[in-house]
Amino acid sequence: MNKIKNVAKRLLGKESPKPYVIDSVARTSSGYCIVGWYATNSVKRVGIIEQAGSPIASDVTNIERPDVVAATGKAAKGFQLVCNTSLDISEIQFVASCTDGNDIKVALTLRGEIQPVKGIDSTTIDFDKVASSDTKGSFEYALFIDNYLYVAGWLLDGGKAQRLEANVKKAKLIDTTIIRYTRQDVVNAFASEKTNTINSGLLLVAKYDSTLLLNSAKELTLTFELEGENKEISTHQVFNAKKEPMINAQRLLNAWQAHSPSQLAKADMFIPILDKMYSANIKPSVRRLDFGTAPSTPKVSMVIPLYGRIDFMRYQLSNFERFLDKTLVEVIYVLDDPKLVNETTKLAREMSQIVTMPFSVLMLGKNVGFGRANNIGVEHAKGDTLLLLNSDILPKTHQWLEKLLESAEKDDVGIVGSRLLFEDETLQHDGMAPMTVSEYPGLLFNDHPRKGWPLQLAPFTENESPCTLLTAACWMIKKSDFEAVGGFDPMYILGDFEDSDLCLKIEEIGKTNVIRRDVELYHLERQSQNLVEPGRWKHNITVINAIKYNKKWKSKLSAMEEKL
Amino acid sequence: MKKIIFISHGHPELSKGGAEVASWNLYKLLKEQGYNCLYIARTDGASHGGSTFSSRGEEVLFHTGMSDWFNLSTSHLKPLFTDLNELIAQFSPDVVHLHHYAHMGIELFPAIRKAAPKAKIVFTLHEFMAMCMHNGQMVKRETLKLCNKALPADCHKCFPSHSPGDFFLRKNYVLDQFSYVDEFVSPSDFLAKRYVEWGLPAEKVHVIENVLPNLEPAKPRVLNHGEKRTKLAFFGQVNPYKGLDILLKAISLLPEEVKEQIQLDIHGANLDIQTSEFKEKVEALLDDVADIVDLRGPYESEQLPSRMAECDWVVIPSIWWENSPVVIQEAIHLGRPLIGSNIGGMKEKIDGIAGLTFEARSAASLASTIVKAIEPEVFDYWHAKLANEQPAIDQHLKFINQLCNNQEV
């Protein structure tokens, strides 16, 4: 109440006061939550914008604030603003749109509680749980899969603890890998105390001789030696990573700072756990639904994975209906998102009434990722030629399919890609090239040269040009070639690098990949990928995939980069 | 006898929007001309026994709804692809003349094509709904600034919860469904141009004005000695887009000696259902000019001639572009010159033809235009120019005749 009175004094004072107050700014698992109030006579509404000024979608709930009204004597509205964004707090601004037509923009800082590690279910810093009376620390959670265990937490030992070990009953510890790092939230929490908070953060992966079966956190103890004494600490929560791979991948990777060279060097510690979580050995169930009668011998089989946003199917089928020869193609959607089976069935039934284009949907019983979803789709394809397409692609050029086919049917040609455009007619894809990123020395990533360029600045002379690396957002390839190299390598997690990997495999069998620059399709890039929770974990998965990709293709990639 | 089906998103006796009235007038005209016409009007609410159709006089009421206002799409497909399909197939039309898809779904177009593969599908454009999610107004959502082009990135700024990519997809989906249309009709050149710039094929878009029932011209009001043309009238909905607030503000800005003579009649309704912000604004403005303004309330179409005859000038101060407002054609036929905003359909239909225009959204500009307009010689000049003719009737008849006989239009 005092706070409100102070604010009221400021508001009613002679200085021109701010017509709004922000009470708290907190991080949520996928963005921010901002709570406050504003004077309705001067502020129309509030929102969040990016630095460049464009608004970020947010949910604003208005809350009655009789307390503010009573204290200020002015009409006021409370608000709770929730937004989903992966941007850092320093990259966003709060904006109050005023009734006088002006916008007040302010930078935000996190206020209120100590911010936890960005891990789902991780608790805020809780220093009641101490290792012993003189050493503070907390192990927030552990997760296990088969014979591997991961633990995240912190310890105020100045990074000096020795022989840190995670002990479980019935399994013998074989190997332990540890990352120690400085955790900013711990530093903040103990800022007023004379405690050494350097290297308090701790990530640990342990390997055992046999499969773990932990039913509760009590079955796990962490032991260490500090200043000659043996100490012990317990964990709050333990998760079985066999279930819910997405959430557990976040738990596993949200704390890892891959951009730090010492932490990057230990990337291998996460790989066996991730590989077990996203095991390629488990075959998902496949249920096939056919709508209309597809041609019995289609020339081209289109395979289109669906994930997250299934509404793309509406726009694509509508477009195919209008522009494609129905006797030429078979359309196979692969739903790689089991929770959307009902919704997809409903939309597919609706679309089968609206369009006459026959199509099929394969419903996978399990989310398997982009590469494997395509591999499964290809198993169902009847045509000799495949067209792999992302769901957020919409063709622009007439005769696009025929032109791609003209190149794909040449014996020496492997993969045929096309130009892809953003919705504002700028380039999204014009072939890919390996590139280095300063944060990750030694690793080559896929670059999209000329991305965002207006077309008039990217003229071309040849309709068809050799191009080794092409995005799988739109690919045409002979089915026999795709099968000869074993399809997409399932070792990449959640869709990264498997396209460039397959491009390199195809060139290894002596074929040449080409891009058709006279074929244009729109690609609303990352519309579907963005549906997975953004954040550090997703970025870290990309880094892990990059490590795998670079190991496999080291010499070939270096040679390509040198040529560039 | 050639057969024509009209489809409208509302029955004009139940809902008085421009599209409903325009389709109704054309339906009446073609019936008189001996065409076998069926009028299908979409309606709210459940029907007897849950049937998709019921009737109102000779007209068929079509009970259905729209579920996705972003894509202008419906998931109620049985009413479209089964029920309407059978009804249309039974009637076997030569032409299907659509006046809207709202409340039924944009899938109405493929549904009709399936039901009547050989019929000509004509669609009359009435506003910008297909390109502008902001109620088809082409006016920015928060600032109400005029919008010149529906670019996905700009639409996203009006509706941040939909990405630019979503708006791109929406547009393509709508254009896909429009591809079933054989010919488009636009009552104004302005609207036609906007739609062609947006993506409709120019060769398919024809500008033909709406038709009206015949109206007898009303003699100009008899002036007392020394009296000026000071009786103004506003016809239409009272909502933020129609600009009544601009008109009221303009009245309050008039020089005292002019203001003393001015009288303004407001024929229209719906102030009560507007947002409180707009309502308060209009009420405050009304208070300022209370002794000048008479709120006459809503009117039925048969009351229009007598009400309009009472005034000298009809004012149309809309802040959005408008297409071809029926009230402009009505005023022209009744012999009442207009004062209108100098944008879009108003500029096209008034400038140099039927009266004076002013700088849209400027109360000061409207005030100085009113000062000019009250001079009897200005009124006489424009009054003499107004023609009680409807070239649109012949144009529509020729157009329909060509369609029915499979001739090029």
Side-chain angles (χ1 to χ4, degrees):
Chain A
M1 200 60 196
N2 269 339
K3 202 164 125 195
I4 290 163
K5 279 185 181 152
N6 287 339
V7 170
K9 274 184 204 157
R10 264 195 284 135
L11 264 183
L12 301 170
K14 281 183 187 155
E15 285 172 19
S16 104
K18 282 192 296 180
Y20 64 87
V21 168
I22 297 171
D23 293 328
S24 74
V25 181
R27 178 172 271 292
T28 64
S29 60
S30 56
Y32 301 95
C33 173
I34 300 156
V35 178
W37 59 268
Y38 56 86
T40 47
N41 63 345
S42 21
V43 175
K44 272 194 299 193
R45 77 203 126 77
V46 295
I48 293 291
I49 54 172
E50 288 174 19
Q51 265 170 341
S54 49
I56 296 171
S58 51
D59 261 334
V60 179
T61 313
N62 280 315
I63 308 156
E64 294 287 323
R65 287 292 294 263
D67 54 339
V68 175
V69 177
T72 62
K74 291 189 176 182
K77 237 185 227 176
F79 66 87
Q80 174 185 287
L81 188 157
V82 179
C83 64
N84 285 339
T85 174
S86 56
L87 293 174
D88 188 73
I89 191 79
S90 62
E91 297 172 308
I92 65 173
Q93 286 189 317
F94 175 82
V95 55
S97 302
C98 298
T99 46
D100 63 6
N102 291 317
D103 287 349
I104 306 176
K105 294 170 190 167
V106 279
L108 291 169
T109 44
L110 294 174
R111 302 173 201 183
E113 299 296 295
I114 300 160
Q115 297 308 309
V117 172
K118 284 187 263 169
I120 285 190
D121 301 337
S122 71
T123 49
T124 50
I125 297 270
D126 174 3
F127 45 93
D128 292 335
K129 303 282 191 292
V130 291
S132 68
S133 54
D134 53 349
T135 312
K136 287 175 180 167
S138 175
F139 280 74
E140 284 127 347
Y141 59 85
L143 63 87
F144 67 97
I145 187 159
D146 294 344
N147 55 331
Y148 283 91
L149 177 84
Y150 167 81
V151 190
W154 57 276
L155 194 62
L156 289 186
D157 63 341
K160 286 180 197 140
Q162 299 294 310
R163 286 211 295 283
L164 262 159
E165 285 180 356
N167 298 300
V168 296
K169 286 172 193 162
K170 293 179 191 166
K172 195 175 150 236
L173 183 64
I174 294 177
D175 187 29
T176 303
T177 318
I178 291 170
I179 290 177
R180 296 300 304 262
Y181 66 109
T182 299
R183 241 173 85 164
Q184 197 54 44
D185 56 341
V186 176
V187 173
N188 295 345
F190 294 94
S192 57
E193 295 175 37
K194 281 190 181 168
T195 313
N196 185 0
T197 49
I198 300 298
N199 280 342
S200 60
L202 195 153
L203 310 176
L204 177 152
V205 169
K207 186 183 174 188
Y208 300 87
D209 69 338
S210 57
T211 298
L212 302 175
L213 249 181
L214 298 172
N215 293 316
S216 86
K218 283 179 197 155
E219 295 170 40
L220 176 68
T221 347
L222 288 128
T223 56
F224 59 94
E225 193 190 298
L226 187 61
E227 287 155 359
E229 276 181 65
N230 288 324
K231 302 197 177 195
E232 205 177 290
I233 189 167
S234 56
T235 303
H236 297 179
Q237 278 176 294
V238 48
F239 302 101
N240 183 347
K242 274 260 189 265
K243 298 164 195 157
E244 303 179 301
M246 187 86 79
I247 290 170
N248 282 307
Q250 293 178 47
R251 288 182 179 129
L252 179 68
L253 293 174
N254 257 343
W256 180 45
Q257 296 167 341
H259 54 82
S260 138
S262 61
Q263 293 199 36
L264 183 65
K266 294 191 174 171
D268 283 354
M269 68 194 262
F270 300 104
I271 291 177
I273 300 183
L274 278 172
D275 283 350
K276 285 176 183 295
M277 278 167 25
Y278 289 93
S279 169
N281 301 327
I282 303 161
K283 287 252 178 243
S285 64
V286 181
R287 192 161 58 89
R288 178 174 173 142
L289 295 176
D290 294 316
F291 299 90
T293 313
S296 52
T297 51
K299 203 154 186 154
V300 177
S301 293
M302 291 171 74
V303 175
I304 311 170
L306 287 171
Y307 175 80
R309 275 191 64 171
I310 58 151
D311 62 319
F312 291 132
M313 195 162 76
R314 173 188 296 280
Y315 309 110
Q316 281 190 329
L317 286 171
S318 167
N319 179 287
F320 298 161
E321 172 79 7
R322 189 171 164 196
F323 295 112
L324 284 190
D325 179 352
K326 294 175 191 71
T327 62
L328 195 70
V329 291
E330 133 184 92
V331 180
I332 302 170
Y333 280 98
V334 184
L335 178 68
D336 187 26
D337 203 339
K339 66 181 182 297
L340 296 178
V341 164
N342 290 340
E343 215 179 302
T344 307
T345 309
K346 180 173 181 281
L347 179 60
R349 284 202 183 116
E350 284 175 21
M351 289 316 295
S352 72
Q353 292 190 65
I354 297 168
V355 301
T356 55
M357 181 100 205
F359 63 99
S360 304
V361 186
L362 305 178
M363 311 273 190
L364 306 189
K366 185 175 175 297
N367 173 233
V368 297
F370 177 80
R372 292 181 65 205
N374 269 301
N375 289 347
I376 293 167
V378 170
E379 286 171 22
H380 286 253
K382 283 186 291 193
D384 289 338
T385 305
L386 302 171
L387 181 82
L388 308 186
L389 208 63
N390 278 13
S391 59
D392 54 357
I393 290 254
L394 214 57
K396 178 185 178 185
T397 328
H398 284 263
Q399 304 292 307
W400 62 279
L401 194 82
E402 289 79 357
K403 286 180 186 168
L404 292 178
L405 203 51
E406 178 189 272
S407 293
E409 284 179 337
K410 294 180 189 169
D411 281 342
D412 56 339
V413 166
I415 297 165
V416 186
S418 74
R419 275 197 155 171
L420 302 177
L421 309 180
F422 289 112
E423 74 278 351
D424 63 356
E425 307 279 337
T426 59
L427 278 173
Q428 187 271 328
H429 169 263
D430 198 23
M432 300 193 296
M435 71 165 172
T436 50
V437 178
S438 58
E439 291 98 315
Y440 303 107
L443 290 182
L444 288 166
F445 290 79
N446 289 325
D447 184 25
H448 285 235
R450 294 176 291 286
K451 190 168 183 170
W453 284 29
L455 285 174
Q456 69 266 26
L457 297 182
F460 60 93
T461 46
E462 302 296 321
N463 287 342
E464 180 192 293
S465 312
C467 182
T468 300
L469 300 179
L470 297 154
T471 174
C474 173
W475 262 12
M476 195 175 269
I477 180 174
K478 291 175 203 77
K479 193 180 178 196
S480 53
D481 285 349
F482 185 88
E483 287 173 340
V485 298
F488 285 110
D489 190 326
M491 78 169 171
Y492 301 101
I493 294 158
L494 289 177
D496 262 321
F497 297 100
E498 57 265 87
D499 48 1
S500 41
D501 180 285
L502 203 137
C503 287
L504 295 173
K505 287 199 283 187
I506 291 289
E507 293 216 332
E508 280 214 322
I509 61 166
K511 303 270 177 152
T512 304
N513 300 333
V514 299
I515 182 165
R516 281 294 297 243
R517 292 206 162 86
D518 59 336
V519 176
E520 294 173 344
L521 297 93
Y522 292 102
H523 185 203
L524 312 172
E525 194 204 7
R526 301 264 168 208
Q527 292 263 352
S528 59
Q529 285 95 326
N530 270 349
L531 294 165
V532 302
E533 297 260 354
R536 186 188 279 168
W537 76 281
K538 182 69 180 50
H539 178 79
N540 284 346
I541 282 190
T542 304
V543 173
I544 294 221
N545 285 330
I547 291 169
K548 292 178 167 183
Y549 174 66
N550 278 267
K551 266 186 199 159
K552 183 168 169 187
W553 296 105
K554 200 171 183 14
S555 56
K556 173 118 188 165
L557 286 172
S558 307
M560 279 177 74
E561 202 212 358
E562 265 167 40
K563 255 199 236 166
L564 284 171
Chain B
M1 195 163 45
K2 295 292 183 181
K3 291 183 280 189
I4 304 174
I5 288 182
F6 283 83
I7 299 183
S8 144
H9 65 317
H11 192 290
E13 288 172 8
L14 303 172
S15 155
K16 289 245 173 311
E20 294 93 319
V21 172
S23 64
W24 184 253
N25 290 338
L26 188 59
Y27 161 69
K28 290 281 190 199
L29 172 73
L30 294 178
K31 239 166 77 158
E32 278 168 23
Q33 295 288 322
Y35 287 96
N36 181 3
C37 296
L38 178 69
Y39 194 90
I40 302 176
R42 184 265 167 194
T43 188
D44 272 322
S47 172
H48 33 48
S51 67
T52 298
F53 300 108
S54 61
S55 78
R56 184 179 178 91
E58 287 180 18
E59 296 86 58
V60 174
L61 294 183
F62 179 33
H63 298 258
T64 188
M66 196 153 120
S67 49
D68 174 359
W69 285 87
F70 181 73
N71 288 307
L72 303 170
S73 169
T74 187
S75 56
H76 304 292
L77 295 181
K78 182 179 171 287
L80 286 183
F81 285 89
T82 306
D83 304 337
L84 185 65
N85 179 292
E86 288 167 5
L87 191 111
I88 289 178
Q90 167 65 31
F91 189 79
S92 178
D94 298 285
V95 175
V96 181
H97 213 309
L98 292 140
H99 282 259
H100 229 300
Y101 46 81
H103 297 285
M104 293 175 277
I106 197 90
E107 292 82 5
L108 184 59
F109 297 102
I112 288 167
R113 178 49 77 224
K114 273 193 182 175
K118 288 185 181 150
K120 288 283 189 303
I121 298 180
V122 181
F123 177 53
T124 300
L125 302 156
H126 289 284
E127 30 38 31
F128 305 103
M129 190 184 260
M131 67 177 93
C132 174
M133 195 172 146
H134 188 210
N135 306 320
Q137 303 280 309
M138 290 298 282
V139 165
K140 306 279 187 194
R141 190 164 77 110
E142 294 289 353
T143 59
L144 300 185
K145 282 185 187 150
L146 288 168
C147 178
N148 287 298
K149 202 171 178 191
L151 289 172
D154 291 356
C155 298
H156 164 67
K157 281 184 187 149
C158 276
F159 295 92
S161 58
H162 297 282
S163 70
D166 289 339
F167 280 102
F168 173 81
L169 292 168
R170 174 193 200 263
K171 171 179 174 174
N172 277 279
Y173 187 65
V174 170
L175 281 173
D176 287 344
Q177 312 321 313
F178 278 172
S179 71
Y180 295 101
V181 175
D182 293 296
E183 308 295 341
F184 294 89
V185 173
S186 165
S188 75
D189 198 38
F190 172 76
L191 191 87
K193 278 201 178 115
R194 280 286 172 100
Y195 267 100
V196 169
E197 278 166 20
W198 178 71
L200 290 189
E203 66 280 8
K204 282 190 175 188
V205 183
H206 311 274
V207 179
I208 311 177
E209 182 53 89
N210 293 319
V211 295
L212 288 179
N214 282 327
L215 286 172
E216 280 299 309
K219 291 210 172 78
R221 189 171 65 90
V222 179
L223 297 185
N224 295 321
H225 180 68
E227 196 189 347
K228 295 192 171 182
R229 292 290 173 187
T230 51
K231 279 208 80 170
L232 311 178
F234 171 96
F235 289 86
Q237 307 258 19
V238 180
N239 67 39
Y241 307 107
K242 291 289 183 184
L244 179 62
D245 49 331
I246 309 277
L247 175 55
L248 295 174
K249 184 78 188 159
I251 302 272
S252 71
L253 292 177
L254 287 170
E256 270 318 310
E257 71 277 12
V258 176
K259 208 196 284 184
E260 281 166 6
Q261 308 169 51
I262 292 285
Q263 241 186 303
L264 170 65
D265 285 344
I266 296 172
H267 305 274
N270 287 352
L271 181 58
D272 48 320
I273 58 167
Q274 301 302 318
T275 63
S276 57
E277 201 183 329
F278 179 72
K279 209 160 112 179
E280 280 164 22
K281 187 176 175 186
V282 170
E283 278 166 355
L285 287 165
L286 278 169
D287 279 348
D288 287 348
V289 292
D291 45 347
I292 297 171
V293 176
D294 196 359
L295 292 170
R296 303 284 297 274
Y299 57 92
E300 291 299 320
S301 52
E302 59 273 18
Q303 295 174 287
L304 178 101
S306 61
R307 287 207 188 189
M308 205 178 259
E310 291 175 30
C311 75
D312 300 315
W313 290 88
V314 173
V315 186
I316 177 156
S318 299
I319 66 161
W320 81 288
W321 305 96
E322 294 281 4
N323 170 22
S324 175
V326 177
V327 67
I328 294 181
Q329 298 310 316
E330 288 169 335
I332 291 172
H333 292 127
L334 261 154
R336 291 295 176 267
L338 294 121
I339 300 172
S341 305
N342 67 344
I343 51 169
M346 294 171 289
K347 181 178 159 67
E348 179 185 330
K349 303 289 178 184
I350 297 173
D351 205 11
I353 301 164
L356 303 171
T357 57
F358 67 96
E359 186 61 32
R361 298 167 176 230
S362 163
S365 170
L366 176 53
S368 65
T369 307
I370 291 172
V371 170
K372 260 189 266 170
I374 61 172
E375 296 303 330
E377 62 272 22
V378 175
F379 173 89
D380 292 342
Y381 173 84
W382 288 108
H383 179 259
K385 279 201 149 198
L386 303 175
N388 187 271
E389 284 165 9
Q390 285 206 64
I393 290 182
D394 284 340
Q395 290 166 15
H396 273 290
L397 293 177
K398 186 176 164 212
F399 179 71
I400 287 292
N401 189 41
Q402 285 167 329
L403 286 178
C404 287
N405 293 304
N406 281 316
Q407 292 166 353
E408 190 134 333
V409 290

